[in-house]
Each structure stands twice: as C-alpha cells, then as structure tokens.
Amino acid sequence: MPYTHLDDSTFWVALQQRDDLQSHGNLNAALYAIELHGQYDDICTVATEIITEGGDDENIDILFTDEDNSRIYLIQSFQSPQLRVNGARPNKARDSSYAVTALIDLELSHIPERIRGQVEEARKAIEEGNINTLHVWFLNNCPENSENQRIMKGVGSSAAATLRTRYPEVHVTVDAKEVGLESLDLLYQAQQNSILINETIELQENPGFLEHTDNGWLSFSTSVSGNFLKRMYNKFGEEKLFSANIRGYMGSNKKDQFINGQIQHSAESEPRDFFVCNNGITALVHDFNVAYVGDDQKLGKLLNITGISIVNGAQTTGCLSNLGSDIDENVKVAARFIKVDDTDKIEKITKANNSQNKVLASDFRAGDATQERLRQEFLTIPDAHYSGGLRSHLAPAVKRISLSPETVAQILIAYHDHPNSSYHEKKDIWENDSLYKKAFDNTVTAGHLLFLYTLHEAINEVKADYGSKFRHGNLISTDESKHEFLRMPGVSFIIIHAVASIMEMILGGPIANPYTLAFRENVSRTDAIAMWKLVINQVIKRTSRLMPATKNRLSRRQDITDAINAFREDMDMFNENFGEWFGDFKESLDS
C-alpha cells in the first residue's frame, strides 16, 4: 500500500508503544526489527552490547553476533522524523558496502578499538563455522525504492564473494537488503497473522488422503518433491514461508551437524530413502483444491493450495534448499496440509508441531510448578509480565513490560551462583536440574525476580548513559575506566554477582532467605531502577578490582571469584559510608 504518513505503518505505530526502546534514540526501530525477526524475548537485554553507532563506527550502527541461532546482524540505520515518500537517500545504503568491508576484510588492527572486540567476535564465529546467515540491512523508516534495493543486492554479492575467499571452508548465506516500511510491516504482521502467503500454488496432482472432523479443520496428507520445497523457499523467503513457525531454519553449521547436517547427507547419499528417513513437513494453508476419487471423499489428488506457512519442517525445507548441489528428483518429503481458520487452534497446532524441535530450553520447564506459581504471582504486579516459559505472541504494550525467562534465569544464576555459568551455560540453566534449582529455588518469589531484573535494567541504562557520553565526546577522563569496564562482554553478570557479594553488608545483617529479597510493594519498577543506580554507581567506582573478572569473556571462573573477593574486601573498608550511599536503597526493601 502507498504510505502517506508514518502512522500508516503498523510497525511504526507499535514501535511508539515500546517505551523501553526509546532510550536508544533513532536505533529503536532497528532494535525492534531485530527482536521481531529473530523472535527474541527482549532485545533490550543485549542492546547496549550490540550498538556500535558513533563517530568511529565504520558505518556499522549495530553488530549482533548470535551464535545460538547461527546468524549475524550488521545494520546501517537511518530514521526520519517525517515520512519521506520517495524513500531514503541511497548514500546510506552505499555506506553498507564499507561496513561489510570493515567486518570481513579490514585488518583487525585498523578497526577502531571501541568496536574491535565485536568485529573480532563476529569473525571468529564465522571462521569456526557457527554462522549460517549474515544479515546486512540498510534499515530505515521510509518506503523502499528500487535504487536502494539495487545497491544492497550489489553489497550482498560482494560480501558473499569476500566470505568465500577469506573463509573457503564455511558456507554463509548473505541476506543483504533494504529493510524499509514494507519489510518492517511484514515483520510485525508476521507476529499477528499465521499465513502471509496468499497466492494459489499449483501442484502436480499429488495423490493422498483427506482427514476431517467437525472440530474446525481439514487436512490432506500427501508427498511433495524436495525441489517443490526449494522453489517455495527461494520464491517466498524464510520470513513468509515460516511465518507461523516458532523457529525458522537454523542452518547446517557445526553446531547442528548431528541434526540438519544429517538431513542434507541423507538427501545427497540416499535420495530414494529420504521419504522414510525424514519426518516430513506440516503446513497451514488458507485453502486447498482436491480432485476426489470415490464418493466418500477420503482419497484424491491435491491440485493446488492457496497460501502456505510451514509450521513443522523448517529444518528439512532449509536443508534441502541450501544444499550445495541440485536436489535429486527422487527426494520425496511427506507433507500434511491443514486448513484451519480458528486463531486459537492455529496457535495450538503451531506449538504441538514444534514440540520436538530445537526451540527454547525454557519451553521444557513451562509446566514446572515453580514457573506456574511465579506466573500467578506476577498477575498481581501491575508493571511487569512474566511468561515462565510459555510461548505466545504479546502485544507491544505487554512486550514492553515483559521479563524474558532466559534473561531472568541468567540473572538469577549470576546473583545466586556464578557469572561464568550465566554467560557460558545459558541453555544449561534450564536443562540441567542442578543449575535450574540454583536459579529457580522453590521458594523464589515474583518480587525477587523483579528485584533482580530491575537491577539488570539499571545496569543497561548506566551502560547506555556512558556509551552516549563517549559517542558524543562528553566522557570526562575520570569516567574513561568505567566506560571501558561497562563495555566488556558479560559485565552485567559481573556487576550482579558483585552486588550479591555485598548485599548483607548493605542491609547490615544476615539475609534469612535471599530468594525472597524484594522491593516494597509501593516501589514502582521505574523507582526500583533508580534505586539500583545508587548501588551501581558505587560498584563501578571499583573497576580496577572488577576488571580482571571480565577477561577472556568470563571463561576463567577462579579469576572471577578472586576479583569479586577483592572487590568485597575493598568495599568493606568503606562500611561506615554505607548508610550515606545506600540508605534510601535499604529503606525501599521489603526486608
């Protein structure tokens, strides 16, 4: 549709409700787009670590290396206060070319020190085969135009060629494109609508059988060729083809070689057996057309489908579509096409069909008694929402106040156990019973979760404040070491653990049950963050003590422990100042 005002964009309207993103200025749209595209629970938890924008950013505004999902986001962002009906100027799109050069090809010593660590992290992830897709986006809040699309296509071709030269042993797909209002709206609508593809797709009279009940759905089971899936993948792309899927294609890198790698190996080495060695796909459709055989309308040939979204089989589809060789014509895939209109039933089908997929580790604890109790307790807290591992689409207003379960678990481990586990064992927290119980003790309260989550939010705000001062040249010399400390990977978990180490000193006595420590009910979430800043500002004055804990990306457990001990001993020397420093904070606690 033609845009006449920014409010014509559903994405833009939703973005205005995300107050939690406003502190990131004109990068709020880019952060929201990443959150929607990657289906992240809360992009704010990593925002300060992935924003690179500044005077020496090498034309990279955001660089996000996500090894868990095998992808990198490299974003050049532009945001206009008013609608530019003719689109964004192409000079920003051209800047993306140098951004790619800086990421892949420039000598590391020539990369500005401020962003060198992030570039090095991205290169290492590519080199080790842990990245499947490099997303190079020129993201803007303007209608897309052909000139920017042409430029970004060239950027993508150049990036792919450079990657093949520098990393010949790995395969990385380059997704280089302009992400303007049309694409942003598509990302937002994908969260609201299950099937984004509406056109009619012809089949080759595929034989099969129909199942139907009076419960609101029809299903036709048949088989399709591997080449059919590849055509759908190439034509519509992942965002549309997997719009109703909890997770899209996760790649065939080293991390998934025992899953997706085997799918590809099966298709290449045993194409005639692929049908019986693969689970097949399940897809939602708007409608399908069948030529029935017999009067009972049970058997027939599938002539065409209208619309498609693959809810189970993204890995199969992605693996076949990304084979280095042509797909053998004998590769057949079992396929079930389901027609259903009920929204609740669509969500039920989507969840059920993804139960065996590699989704979020927290999904498998969603029914845990502790998570169920916490969800109930959060219903009484007005400015917070906690899903406890239950997956559902949230309205922007709810998303703004939601606590990411994965982040909650990391924070709890950092506070009650060790930052090393928070940073390097994120998934294990949910899968390992010992770690899970250390995080979610059966006495833990919703108030305690919010207590620690607001600490994490306060740390992010402090990091953003120092980052902004640095980018705009307003950082005074005495704050340089604090800024250097705050930009280190995993530093939030170090600070959380440091706070835990002095909490009894702050309160002036032992804590009976640390899992119930919380703010008073009359302390709002905003007030809690402000209270935490009083504590954080004292903690970061001891950067010389804490900096050793951040070395080697929190990999040296004993070094962290030693640094925290040194920090606690240093703070103990100033115990007589605690009343002045932390008096208001202490009074705000329900102790």
Side-chain angles (χ1 to χ4, degrees):
M1 68 168 220
Y3 294 93
T4 59
H5 191 275
L6 280 174
D7 285 346
D8 292 337
S9 163
T10 54
F11 172 91
W12 188 258
V13 171
L15 178 63
Q16 307 317 304
Q17 300 178 50
R18 291 295 301 272
D19 294 343
D20 54 331
L21 294 172
Q22 299 308 314
S23 62
H24 301 291
N26 285 346
L27 292 178
N28 61 339
L31 291 168
Y32 190 28
I34 293 174
E35 182 178 275
L36 293 173
H37 182 267
Q39 299 184 35
Y40 298 105
D41 275 355
D42 185 3
I43 196 64
C44 290
T45 60
V46 297
T48 55
E49 296 180 10
I50 66 176
I51 290 175
T52 50
E53 182 255 353
D56 57 348
D57 60 19
E58 302 294 317
N59 293 334
I60 305 172
D61 289 329
I62 291 177
L63 179 56
F64 182 17
T65 300
D66 179 8
E67 292 189 62
D68 286 341
N69 295 295
S70 309
R71 56 195 171 203
I72 293 173
Y73 293 93
L74 184 154
I75 296 181
Q76 170 67 229
S77 175
F78 168 73
Q79 196 170 122
S80 172
Q82 295 179 329
L83 180 71
R84 300 171 61 93
V85 292
N86 294 323
R89 294 190 181 96
N91 60 306
K92 280 281 189 178
R94 294 190 183 97
D95 287 345
S96 299
S97 179
Y98 182 73
V100 171
T101 299
L103 175 66
I104 303 173
D105 214 26
L106 203 63
E107 283 291 331
L108 200 59
S109 60
H110 295 165
I111 300 291
E113 186 176 358
R114 183 177 65 86
I115 65 171
R116 189 178 301 161
Q118 288 159 285
V119 171
E120 187 174 16
E121 178 186 18
R123 291 184 183 183
K124 182 178 179 182
I126 295 171
E127 184 178 2
E128 293 180 350
N130 294 331
I131 298 300
N132 176 65
T133 306
L134 169 61
H135 299 286
V136 183
W137 292 353
F138 168 41
L139 189 142
N140 58 75
N141 64 336
C142 308
E144 296 169 358
N145 63 49
S146 57
E147 178 63 10
N148 286 328
Q149 291 167 359
R150 182 190 67 80
I151 292 170
M152 294 308 297
K153 184 177 180 180
V155 169
S157 298
S158 177
T162 304
L163 283 166
R164 282 195 298 270
T165 301
R166 289 191 64 88
Y167 307 101
E169 300 300 319
V170 300
H171 174 72
V172 178
T173 299
V174 179
D175 167 40
K177 62 187 179 184
E178 179 186 19
V179 179
L181 288 178
E182 292 86 349
S183 295
L184 293 172
D185 281 346
L186 187 62
L187 280 174
Y188 179 74
Q189 291 159 14
Q191 311 304 307
Q192 317 302 317
N193 305 314
S194 296
I195 307 172
L196 296 180
I197 299 168
N198 296 311
E199 67 182 72
T200 299
I201 301 164
E202 301 296 329
L203 287 100
Q204 302 298 315
E205 298 189 358
N206 300 48
F209 64 92
L210 188 79
E211 289 286 353
H212 60 87
T213 69
D214 57 0
N215 209 27
W217 57 263
L218 288 172
S219 171
F220 192 88
S221 298
T222 182
S223 67
V224 295
S225 68
N227 283 306
F228 169 80
L229 294 179
K230 184 174 183 178
R231 287 198 301 273
M232 296 299 98
Y233 184 91
N234 290 341
K235 181 175 183 179
F236 298 114
E238 290 187 22
E239 286 88 349
K240 287 187 175 181
L241 189 58
F242 304 145
S243 60
N245 205 315
I246 292 176
R247 289 287 286 275
Y249 174 52
M250 290 158 19
S252 305
N253 59 20
K254 291 180 180 179
K255 284 190 172 185
D256 297 302
Q257 61 183 339
F258 297 110
I259 306 172
N260 293 353
Q262 289 187 352
I263 295 176
Q264 292 187 321
H265 176 73
S266 175
E268 291 176 319
S269 62
E270 300 173 318
R272 293 180 181 275
D273 294 335
F274 191 86
F275 181 86
V276 293
C277 293
N278 184 270
N279 291 334
I281 69 161
T282 296
L284 296 177
V285 299
H286 292 306
D287 201 359
F288 51 67
N289 186 21
V290 177
Y292 295 105
V293 177
D295 297 330
D296 60 357
Q297 295 190 347
K298 286 286 188 180
L299 302 176
K301 295 180 179 180
L302 185 62
L303 304 179
N304 57 55
I305 57 175
T306 301
I308 182 172
S309 179
I310 294 175
V311 296
N312 188 6
Q315 310 318 311
T316 294
T317 305
C319 286
L320 293 175
S321 302
N322 286 279
L323 274 175
S325 57
D326 293 336
I327 301 177
D328 190 293
E329 62 181 12
N330 292 302
V331 172
K332 302 293 183 182
V333 183
R336 179 173 55 163
F337 297 99
I338 301 174
K339 176 187 175 182
V340 59
D341 297 322
D342 184 83
T343 302
D344 292 337
K345 200 172 295 297
I346 287 174
E347 185 171 348
K348 181 179 179 181
I349 292 169
T350 300
K351 287 182 177 179
N353 276 278
N354 280 277
S355 61
Q356 77 271 31
N357 282 1
K358 180 182 173 185
V359 193
L360 292 177
S362 57
D363 290 339
F364 301 102
R365 299 278 187 177
D368 181 85
T370 299
Q371 298 300 329
E372 290 182 356
R373 175 177 57 79
L374 289 170
R375 284 195 293 269
Q376 290 301 311
E377 289 181 13
F378 266 99
L379 294 177
T380 66
I381 301 177
D383 52 356
H385 172 271
Y386 179 68
S387 67
L390 288 179
R391 304 291 295 278
S392 61
H393 295 308
L394 302 177
V398 178
K399 188 83 170 179
R400 175 176 56 82
I401 62 173
S402 287
L403 280 63
S404 161
E406 284 70 36
T407 304
V408 165
Q410 289 178 284
I411 294 168
L412 286 167
I413 285 294
Y415 188 87
H416 293 286
D417 186 45
H418 204 279
N420 171 271
S421 297
S422 295
Y423 193 76
H424 293 287
E425 301 178 81
K426 177 181 178 180
K427 293 181 179 179
D428 292 343
I429 298 172
W430 294 92
E431 296 172 356
N432 180 288
D433 285 341
S434 177
L435 273 176
Y436 179 76
K437 290 174 182 176
K438 287 178 181 177
F440 294 99
D441 181 89
N442 59 16
T443 64
V444 69
T445 64
H448 184 63
L449 263 62
L450 188 58
F451 175 70
L452 293 185
Y453 204 84
T454 52
L455 167 58
H456 191 261
E457 290 180 309
I459 294 169
N460 283 336
E461 288 193 11
V462 171
K463 289 165 67 175
D465 289 343
Y466 275 84
S468 178
K469 290 178 184 177
F470 176 79
R471 288 193 297 273
H472 295 95
N474 297 325
L475 193 69
I476 61 177
S477 58
T478 53
D479 286 341
E480 289 177 359
S481 61
K482 297 173 189 173
H483 174 255
E484 179 70 14
F485 171 67
L486 289 168
R487 74 181 189 87
M488 298 300 289
V491 71
S492 296
F493 303 130
I494 297 296
I495 295 175
I496 290 169
H497 197 59
V499 168
S501 75
I502 62 170
M503 188 55 67
E504 288 189 344
M505 295 164 59
I506 291 175
L507 297 183
I511 301 170
N513 184 351
Y515 286 94
T516 61
L517 189 59
F519 287 108
R520 298 183 187 277
E521 287 187 5
N522 63 346
V523 177
S524 69
R525 188 164 173 176
T526 301
D527 290 341
I529 293 171
M531 288 294 175
W532 274 124
K533 286 184 178 181
L534 299 175
V535 179
I536 296 166
N537 287 331
Q538 291 298 329
V539 170
I540 62 176
K541 289 179 180 179
R542 274 76 189 171
T543 55
S544 61
R545 297 293 189 186
L546 293 173
M547 184 64 87
T550 66
K551 300 300 182 183
N552 299 104
R553 296 184 176 274
L554 279 63
S555 60
R556 297 179 179 176
R557 195 178 184 94
Q558 190 58 49
D559 286 355
I560 296 172
T561 300
D562 292 344
I564 295 296
N565 288 339
F567 162 79
R568 185 173 60 248
E569 291 174 3
D570 190 44
M571 290 295 287
D572 191 35
M573 295 171 59
F574 298 91
N575 196 277
E576 65 275 10
N577 299 113
F578 276 27
E580 177 187 349
W581 294 348
F582 308 127
D584 290 342
F585 172 81
K586 179 180 177 181
E587 289 300 316
S588 69
L589 300 186
D590 184 15
S591 57

